[in-house]
Amino acid sequence: MASVALRRRRRTAVLTGCGAAVLAVAATGWVGAQAWQAAEELAAVVPLADELGSAVSARDFDAAREVAGRFRTHADRAHELTTGPLWPVFEAVPGLGPNLAAVRTVSQQLAVVAGSVVEPVLDAAGSLETRRDPLALADASAPLAEASAAMVSAREAVDAVDAGALVPPLADGVERVQGALATGTGVVEGFAQAGAIVPGLLGAGGPREILVMLQNTAEVRTGGGITGSFVQLHAEDGEITLVRQAESGAFAPRDAAIAPVPDAATALYGDVVGRFVQNATMTPDFTASARLASAWWHSAYGVTPDAVVSIDPLVLRALLAVHGPVALPDGTQLSADDLVHRLLVEPYLHLDPEGQTAYLQQVSAAVLPALTADADPLAWLPALAPVIAEGRVSVWSAVPAEQEALAASALGGPSARLDAAGDDAWAVYFNDATGGKMGSYLDAAVEVEVRSCGDGPGEAIVRVELANTAPADTVSDLPLSMTGGGLWGTGVGDIGTNVTVAAPPGVDPAGVTGMKGGEPAAESLDGGRSFTAVRVNVSPGEAEVVEFRFLVPGGDAATPVVLHTPMLGPVPVQVVTAPACAG
């Protein structure tokens, strides 16, 4: 009897085991089938993002909403397929788990984007298309802020997925979604920031006096270029009128700073930041730059601006590209194609200082009213996105709530952009020391090399190359307004530039090499970041490379993010990871 009972128990155990195995196989098959279907749904979503963008660009909002409906259907279905009770169990299985977790995460976040981002953004865009009025953004401000927060959260969740740990087809799909979310986040954030800031700046809640600083990038400064031209605009109920213009010559240099200057800027550049109006954007702190500009304007005209906006000629070029050419008083037309040459080269080659002032004021008086009168928010937002990302637009507001939003955005100026880029971000700033408009002949490139050094500090080397493309045989024929005439310590035809490298918090400077007869490096500490500045002189047809060396704590040198002063031309940036520390 005992043997019979034993055989029955064994048979029961075998059958139970077989049943469990069958259930496990079935469960595995079920999860696999769900994952396969979810992946197919996700594969259908990715191209719809491009289709949606095309429809919005074409302003076909009926088509955009139809595409958005299909986007949401596929995203919601993928989300449903990845929320079964067995799904978390199989996410713990080695090898299989990361792939399942990736499918679930991407499905969930795309469903969030479909429901919480796409629909409110389309509603806001449709309203702007109907009203063609920037003040329509006021009604969309709260929904756009919520959509932006949802978009950022979705991007962060998908970015946390390690595509390198996934099977190849899935890895490719995840990377495509990550790229699409990165692009979309910039657009939605810009839209939301516009909704929070633009209506107030345009006088929706009362009249505003706006001081626009036109930076001349032919004579470079940290924020872009010298603040050589100023325009006061009056904004009320969305209507903008030009009140007054002034060139830098209207503001006499002072014996002491006209307003407080950050200690770090004084340590790096001396006392010139607050004594000369052209140097207002020499500091990366745009709040300080705006207060300097406000003080200069008040000293001359008795008006304290409610907001300060800094732009450079490439911003105007971006807007002219969507607006079309603008007629000038001399009968010619200024277009996006010829703007840089006609504003930053021709006046300094052919006109005396008085003629330059008159010409630039005529251009401002023609271009700014034309652009603001025909402002088209839906066209302006995508046109401005690239130049804002490059740091060519900075805005400060005297209204605390607006300024808080600005300081946390890409519009907050160089320091704000650097902080937003994270603790692994570096910045390279350029300030002209020539005293002329040789920036059209200045090329720059940046290379950052990082080395991990085991238990010791890591190393980082920032190489900055400057090239003077001016023709050596004819540079002496250029006018003083271009070359500076040697009056500021730089030889005629040479380009003198103060180069500053801002390191991540906790990174210590370890010297500068490569200067030929240059002055010793200046160093400063600001907000936990070290700043190192040297002056570099480059003769026509030549190039110079300067190496800034740093010690990175913790042994592991993270892959850096590199920002730089926006220049007239592109500034190539290369990041190199060295195999080991030197020596």
Side-chain angles (χ1 to χ4, degrees):
M1 295 292 295
S3 62
V4 172
L6 179 60
R7 286 196 299 271
R8 286 177 178 172
R9 286 196 297 272
R10 287 175 178 172
R11 184 167 62 249
T12 301
V14 169
L15 291 174
T16 302
C18 289
V22 169
L23 289 175
V25 170
T28 302
W30 177 84
V31 170
Q34 297 288 96
W36 181 266
Q37 293 177 58
E40 287 186 325
E41 297 290 346
L42 293 179
V45 168
V46 174
L48 290 178
D50 293 335
E51 195 174 335
L52 182 62
S54 298
V56 172
S57 297
R59 304 193 176 199
D60 188 344
F61 289 99
D62 289 336
R65 288 189 174 87
E66 188 275 329
V67 175
R70 286 189 280 137
F71 185 108
R72 182 165 188 172
T73 297
H74 289 295
D76 285 348
R77 178 58 180 156
H79 186 208
E80 292 170 3
L81 288 164
T82 58
T83 54
L86 293 177
W87 199 275
V89 176
F90 283 90
E91 284 190 15
V93 176
L96 178 64
N99 293 280
L100 293 177
V103 173
R104 176 184 53 78
T105 298
V106 173
S107 299
Q108 179 182 14
Q109 299 308 320
L110 287 180
V112 169
V113 170
S116 300
V117 178
V118 174
E119 291 183 5
V121 169
L122 283 180
D123 289 343
S127 176
L128 284 173
E129 174 68 6
T130 301
R131 292 175 56 180
R132 291 293 181 99
D133 179 2
L135 294 187
L137 283 166
D139 297 333
S141 177
L144 286 174
E146 293 174 1
S148 179
M151 190 71 173
V152 170
S153 178
R155 179 189 177 183
E156 290 175 348
V158 175
D159 280 349
V161 176
D162 181 6
L166 309 178
V167 295
L170 180 58
D172 178 66
V174 169
E175 289 175 348
R176 290 180 63 191
V177 172
Q178 289 172 334
L181 289 178
T183 301
T185 299
V187 174
V188 176
E189 281 188 315
F191 212 176
Q193 289 164 2
I197 297 164
V198 169
L201 289 178
L202 295 184
R208 298 283 187 95
E209 301 303 321
I210 303 171
L211 180 63
V212 179
M213 299 191 295
L214 300 173
Q215 295 196 80
N216 188 332
T217 39
E219 190 170 344
V220 70
R221 291 291 185 271
T222 293
I226 62 166
T227 44
S229 301
F230 299 83
V231 178
Q232 180 187 340
L233 303 175
H234 177 81
E236 189 167 0
D237 294 329
E239 297 292 329
I240 298 177
T241 54
L242 192 154
V243 177
R244 180 182 288 112
Q245 296 187 69
E247 297 299 307
S248 58
F251 308 93
R254 298 201 163 213
D255 294 332
I258 194 169
V261 175
D263 292 341
T266 301
L268 293 172
Y269 309 121
D271 66 354
V272 299
V273 180
R275 292 178 48 233
F276 296 85
V277 71
Q278 299 94 328
N279 294 335
T281 57
M282 186 173 274
T283 169
D285 182 349
F286 189 70
T287 294
S289 297
R291 288 173 175 162
L292 287 168
S294 295
W296 285 109
W297 196 255
H298 185 269
S299 71
Y301 304 108
V303 175
T304 299
D306 300 301
V308 177
V309 178
S310 176
I311 62 175
D312 72 12
L314 272 66
V315 176
L316 296 178
R317 186 176 70 179
L319 294 177
L320 282 180
V322 297
H323 175 278
V326 171
L328 299 182
D330 62 4
T332 64
Q333 288 194 323
L334 184 68
S335 70
D337 294 335
D338 61 11
L339 180 142
V340 170
H341 187 75
R342 292 188 64 184
L343 291 190
L344 301 184
V345 179
E346 283 187 0
Y348 305 104
L349 288 175
H350 307 301
L351 300 176
D352 60 20
E354 291 75 17
Q356 295 164 14
T357 297
Y359 175 72
L360 294 175
Q361 288 186 344
Q362 289 172 4
V363 170
S364 297
V367 172
L368 291 177
L371 291 175
T372 54
D374 298 329
D376 183 347
L378 287 182
W380 276 33
L381 287 171
L384 288 174
V387 292
I388 289 175
E390 293 170 357
R392 299 184 185 277
V393 183
S394 298
V395 185
W396 172 86
S397 173
V399 178
E402 292 177 357
Q403 178 54 25
E404 182 178 358
L406 287 165
S409 75
L411 297 171
S415 288
R417 293 178 64 237
L418 183 59
D419 289 342
D423 287 344
D424 296 323
W426 301 71
V428 180
Y429 299 133
F430 302 100
N431 285 279
D432 180 79
T434 312
K437 304 298 185 294
M438 293 291 287
S440 54
Y441 296 110
L442 178 64
D443 286 346
V446 177
E447 179 182 271
V448 181
E449 179 179 321
V450 293
R451 303 169 183 260
S452 296
C453 302
D455 295 333
E459 295 180 349
I461 302 173
V462 179
R463 297 185 182 90
V464 180
E465 180 178 11
L466 297 178
N468 183 343
T469 64
D473 55 344
T474 60
V475 71
S476 60
D477 297 330
L478 295 174
L480 182 146
S481 57
M482 287 284 287
T483 67
L487 300 176
W488 304 95
T490 301
V492 174
D494 291 357
I495 300 178
T497 307
N498 288 314
V499 182
T500 304
V501 174
V507 173
D508 295 323
V512 183
T513 60
M515 295 173 294
K516 295 182 179 179
E519 300 174 5
E523 295 181 357
S524 182
L525 190 66
D526 186 27
R529 294 181 181 272
S530 68
F531 288 72
T532 306
V534 296
R535 177 166 172 168
V536 182
N537 191 79
V538 188
S539 298
E542 296 184 0
E544 301 288 348
V545 177
V546 181
E547 292 188 347
F548 296 75
R549 295 178 175 271
F550 299 88
L551 297 178
V552 181
D556 291 329
T559 301
V561 176
V562 183
L563 306 181
H564 59 79
T565 291
M567 309 277 276
L568 269 179
V571 179
V573 175
Q574 183 176 8
V575 175
V576 178
T577 302
C581 287

